[in-house]
Amino acid sequence: MTAKVLITGAASGIGLAVARRIVARGMEAILWDISRDALEAARAELGDSAEVRQVDVSDAQAVNGAATSLEGATHLVNNAGILGHRMDWHDLDPAEVARLLAINVTGFMKVAACFMAARSPHPAGAIVNMASIAGDNGGAPGFASYGASKGAIMALTRAMARDFAPEVRVNALAPGIIDTPIQGAVMADAAARARAAEGIPMQRMGSPDEVAEAAEWLLFDASYTTGEIIRIAGGRR
Ligand SMILES: NC(=O)c1ccc[n+]([C@@H]2O[C@H](COP(=O)([O-])OP(=O)(O)OC[C@H]3O[C@@H](n4cnc5c(N)ncnc54)[C@H](O)[C@@H]3O)[C@@H](O)[C@H]2O)c1
């Protein structure tokens, strides 16, 4: 049975790498992202197998509206996320924390709920959530909200795996430092990138496709794996 995969945050980085793999397998991909321009570029690259839609996952009404076109979707890669601004404890800005959690946590939950309501049954239905090793280690200094949001994704993955079984397997990936635009805020120059690589046993950042490779396995090849969080971090903790 053919699969149709909804990917959020699909117009860049890891989400786009997953979309490329889906299309290369001859499957259909539904790409949701907040960036219209990036979506247009993805559509131009991926062709007719990709259906794109501008959706802000933190806007529950927008997600409800977009979910009306989810018919036939069998798998979900819940991936849209932001790092947020650097914020020290003495400058704590609750509005900025709320904005980040609305995208990284509530948005994830809302998309998963809509997907579950609209999805088409598939013998190997599955969800992959994009967590981060920051969910375990607390995140980089100044990015505690991000770490907290990814810790929440880990807990949500276990809750979803329990609640959506046996029809849908739910797992998370916890990437380390992956070379995508999200790292721009923390790794603007070559020196910062070299310093980051020093702390990674594999001595380099990962590529988006190295995360997509694991997502593809969890989506289509795994069959008894659910509720798990797999690090794709070059050995970094
Ligand atoms: N790159 C890393 O080092 C790394 C490490 C661990 C986890 N992650 C996670 O991987 C996921 C993908 O990140 P990436 O590295 O590919 O970054 P990215 O910035 O390249 O991609 C994120 C995408 O999400 C989209 N997006 C942002 N806010 C959105 C919203 N409100 N609604 C819909 N789309 C929205 C962006 O437009 C962008 O296309 C994120 O959840 C991120 O936290 C990344």
Side-chain angles (χ1 to χ4, degrees), residues 10-188:
S12 173
I14 295 168
L16 181 57
V18 173
R20 287 186 179 122
R21 279 183 174 255
I22 302 299
V23 169
R25 285 179 79 110
M27 296 171 172
E28 287 176 68
I30 307 170
L31 281 65
W32 285 4
D33 202 286
I34 200 168
S35 168
R36 184 183 295 277
D37 290 349
L39 279 173
E40 288 309 322
R43 175 76 176 74
E45 177 192 330
L46 297 174
D48 289 344
S49 304
E51 185 185 314
V52 304
R53 185 154 183 153
Q54 187 182 27
V55 182
D56 176 353
V57 298
S58 68
D59 178 340
Q61 272 190 328
V63 174
N64 280 338
T68 57
S69 64
L70 276 186
E71 202 178 321
T74 56
H75 294 67
L76 165 65
V77 178
N78 216 348
N79 168 76
I82 61 165
L83 185 61
H85 304 313
R86 193 192 158 89
M87 199 192 304
D88 292 317
W89 289 99
H90 59 83
D91 274 337
L92 189 75
D93 176 354
E96 172 62 6
V97 176
R99 183 181 80 90
L100 183 140
L101 295 179
I103 297 168
N104 288 15
V105 180
T106 319
F108 259 70
M109 296 176 75
K110 179 66 184 166
V111 170
C114 285
F115 167 78
M116 288 303 294
R119 78 184 178 92
S120 292
H122 187 281
I127 296 176
V128 171
N129 291 328
M130 209 53 68
S132 164
I133 61 168
D136 272 334
N137 68 24
F143 293 92
S145 323
Y146 179 76
S149 75
K150 294 303 184 179
I153 295 306
M154 292 176 173
L156 284 169
T157 297
R158 296 188 176 109
M160 290 180 193
R162 177 198 62 213
D163 296 345
F164 302 163
E167 290 83 9
V168 177
R169 290 178 303 102
V170 186
N171 294 286
L173 293 173
I177 303 179
I178 308 300
D179 195 1
T180 76
I182 212 173
Q183 290 291 353
V186 272
M187 253 159 270

Side-chain angles (χ1 to χ4, degrees), residues 198-214:
E198 279 169 20
I200 304 171
M202 290 284 287
Q203 297 182 4
R204 63 173 177 85
M205 297 167 86
S207 75
D209 191 58
E210 288 174 310
V211 182
E213 174 187 63

